[in-house]
Amino acid sequence: VVTGDFLAPFHPEIDWSGCIVRVSEARVVDVPNIVRGISAEEVRKRRRRCARLSNAVFGKPHVFEKFFSVSMRVWNIRVRNAIKGQDEIELFIN
């Protein structure tokens, strides 16, 4: 991923760092060397991790139910964290 502001789906609840290689826009000319520097074993590991995460998050192709289920779980986590944060703020103020 060559960008300074890319957010992977459901970040930060789902860690995609084992799937992607981040390169800043300033280093775009280095991409060929960076990619060549990744070992074949590392590429295999990243492909497997990406396939597992993709199947876990999005399900099989054309299966919306899995994606919807994961979306709802992530939103549930975010709402609980927001409520918890609000409780902590109220405790701090009072």
Side-chain angles (χ1 to χ4, degrees):
V1 175
V2 179
T3 183
D5 57 359
F6 171 75
L7 285 179
F10 306 118
H11 174 80
E13 291 82 9
I14 296 177
D15 178 16
W16 294 93
S17 63
C19 297
I20 60 176
V21 176
R22 289 183 184 265
V23 178
S24 70
E25 292 172 3
R27 294 193 59 207
V28 71
V29 296
D30 298 328
V31 168
N33 290 330
I34 292 168
V35 171
R36 278 190 223 107
I38 301 172
S39 70
E41 179 58 29
E42 180 66 18
V43 170
R44 282 190 290 278
K45 285 179 184 177
R46 286 178 178 270
R47 283 182 179 166
R48 284 191 301 267
R49 174 148 174 81
C50 217
R52 283 193 310 269
L53 277 174
S54 180
N55 284 334
V57 173
F58 303 111
K60 302 286 184 212
H62 310 293
V63 180
F64 179 75
E65 292 81 13
K66 180 71 172 184
F67 177 76
F68 183 77
S69 173
V70 170
S71 298
M72 291 300 98
R73 282 187 281 164
V74 168
W75 278 109
N76 188 9
I77 291 168
R78 290 179 179 179
V79 167
R80 281 185 295 163
N81 287 341
I83 291 170
K84 179 182 174 190
Q86 185 62 38
D87 290 344
E88 290 172 358
I89 291 169
E90 288 174 7
L91 287 173
F92 180 74
I93 294 171
N94 294 327

